[in-house]
Amino acid sequence: MKEEKIIVPANGYLMLFLFLILFFGSIALIPITETGWSIFGIVAALILAFGFLMVQPNGSRVLLLFGKYVGTVKKNGFYWVNPFYTKRKISLRASNFDSERLKVNDKLGNPIMISTILVWRVHNTYKAAFDVDNYENFVRVQTDAAVRKLASMYPYDNFADEGVDEDITLRSSVNEVSNALEKEIDERLTIAGIEVLEARIGYLAYANEIANAMLKRQQATAIVAARHKIVEGAVSMVEMAIDELNKKQVVELDEERKAAMVSNLMVVLCGDKDASPVLNTGTLNH
């Protein structure tokens, strides 16, 4: 047998009633009978007691008879099975696994620290019990391997100024990365009969040795982007000012005066500090 087999054993309460009758009845017959049947009844009752089985909600018991798989009990309740069955308990509840922070390299070779949060449960008790040695350890090892592979597939962030512009990154594409991680882990855990309910990145950061450098780089990129916006707006405002002056004929400016005006306005609009104006009370030529 290579697949899971669901079975429903005998009612445990009925067998408990028979056990009590056999056990206490045999004890009561000891003074009356002089044969060994009473002792035999007591021994038989004690052997039958090993067959009682209780399955809690979202629990299961895998049954084996001298190494041969018999079936799995998933329905909760009180049962009685063959006393010689070996009973292995496997939980069907959802479990949380928070992996350790791993130091790996992303697609660009930058060292990063990453961990994952995995929600999983046993779906096939036969595979979990017999296809892998220890299914809980199997989940931990394969999850770490999947995280390492995922980190090498995507960059931590976009670096458009260096010609690296990825559609999916570990930092910004949360949903896409989580879906890819979930699919990768699910493929690895199928052999153990494990169902992946959710997988997502729990921790993500640059490694300590490059964290400060990357922070400065991000700050520089932000400053350059802000400056670009400021210059863009300043040019637009200067152009509008010259157009309005010419349109309303407030003053006639030759090319040299226009250049001086543009220079002054650009300094005022793009400067880090407030400008200190110098008032000219003379003519335009002085």
Side-chain angles (χ1 to χ4, degrees):
M1 181 173 294
K2 298 296 182 181
E3 295 296 332
E4 182 183 61
K5 179 183 177 182
I6 306 299
I7 62 173
V8 180
N11 189 296
Y13 296 102
L14 177 60
M15 294 303 299
L16 178 61
F17 178 72
L18 297 177
F19 163 77
L20 294 176
I21 292 177
L22 179 60
F23 182 75
F24 290 105
S26 299
I27 294 177
L29 291 175
I30 290 178
I32 301 174
T33 62
E34 297 180 355
T35 61
W37 288 106
S38 297
I39 303 299
F40 177 79
I42 294 174
V43 173
L46 293 176
I47 293 175
L48 292 177
F50 287 99
F52 290 111
L53 175 68
M54 184 179 294
V55 179
Q56 298 178 352
N58 286 325
S60 69
R61 291 294 184 93
V62 177
L63 306 178
L64 293 91
L65 180 61
F66 303 119
K68 181 181 179 181
Y69 174 68
V70 176
T72 301
V73 182
K74 286 187 175 181
K75 186 177 180 181
N76 62 293
F78 183 57
Y79 303 102
W80 183 87
V81 296
N82 189 327
F84 297 100
Y85 282 172
T86 301
K87 312 170 192 71
R88 179 176 178 181
K89 181 186 295 185
I90 294 182
S91 175
L92 302 180
R93 298 182 178 92
S95 300
N96 257 337
F97 170 59
D98 189 0
S99 69
E100 297 181 358
R101 295 179 182 179
L102 304 175
K103 185 177 180 181
V104 298
N105 292 332
D106 69 354
K107 185 177 180 180
L108 303 179
N110 297 319
I112 61 175
M113 301 298 294
I114 187 172
S115 70
T116 184
I117 297 176
L118 177 68
V119 183
W120 60 277
R121 67 182 176 191
V122 175
H123 176 68
N124 189 309
T125 57
Y126 178 87
K127 291 182 178 181
F130 306 115
D131 283 357
V132 294
D133 183 43
N134 185 324
Y135 68 90
E136 292 181 344
N137 184 63
F138 188 83
V139 170
R140 290 191 292 269
V141 174
Q142 292 302 318
T143 299
D144 289 348
V147 171
R148 291 180 183 275
K149 180 180 178 180
L150 179 83
S152 65
M153 293 171 58
Y154 304 108
Y156 179 92
D157 204 353
N158 270 322
F159 298 103
D161 55 336
E162 295 182 0
V164 181
D165 190 8
E166 296 283 346
D167 294 331
I168 300 177
T169 63
L170 296 173
R171 185 181 66 85
S172 60
S173 306
V174 178
N175 293 332
E176 292 81 356
V177 172
S178 296
N179 291 336
L181 178 61
E182 184 175 329
K183 182 179 179 181
E184 178 68 25
I185 297 177
D186 186 65
E187 291 177 354
R188 292 172 177 266
L189 299 184
T190 299
I191 186 177
I194 304 297
E195 178 186 7
V196 176
L197 302 179
E198 183 186 5
R200 57 187 175 86
I201 300 298
Y203 178 85
L204 181 65
Y206 281 113
N208 292 333
E209 57 265 30
I210 67 167
N212 291 333
M214 286 301 178
L215 178 61
K216 292 179 181 179
R217 189 186 189 287
Q218 290 175 352
Q219 292 173 342
T221 302
I223 292 173
V224 170
R227 287 293 179 186
H228 179 75
K229 276 296 193 183
I230 292 173
V231 171
E232 221 176 57
V235 171
S236 177
M237 293 171 66
V238 169
E239 184 180 3
M240 181 178 65
I242 294 176
D243 289 344
E244 288 295 321
L245 289 173
N246 291 333
K247 181 179 178 180
K248 295 181 179 180
Q249 298 181 352
V250 177
V251 63
E252 292 185 3
L253 300 174
D254 56 19
E255 296 300 322
E256 183 178 352
R257 289 171 181 169
K258 285 183 181 179
M261 178 181 175
V262 170
S263 176
N264 292 335
L265 286 175
M266 291 298 292
V267 170
V268 172
L269 294 173
C270 297
D272 287 334
K273 301 179 180 179
D274 294 336
S276 299
V278 177
L279 297 179
N280 183 6
T281 58
T283 66
L284 292 175
N285 297 324
H286 296 88

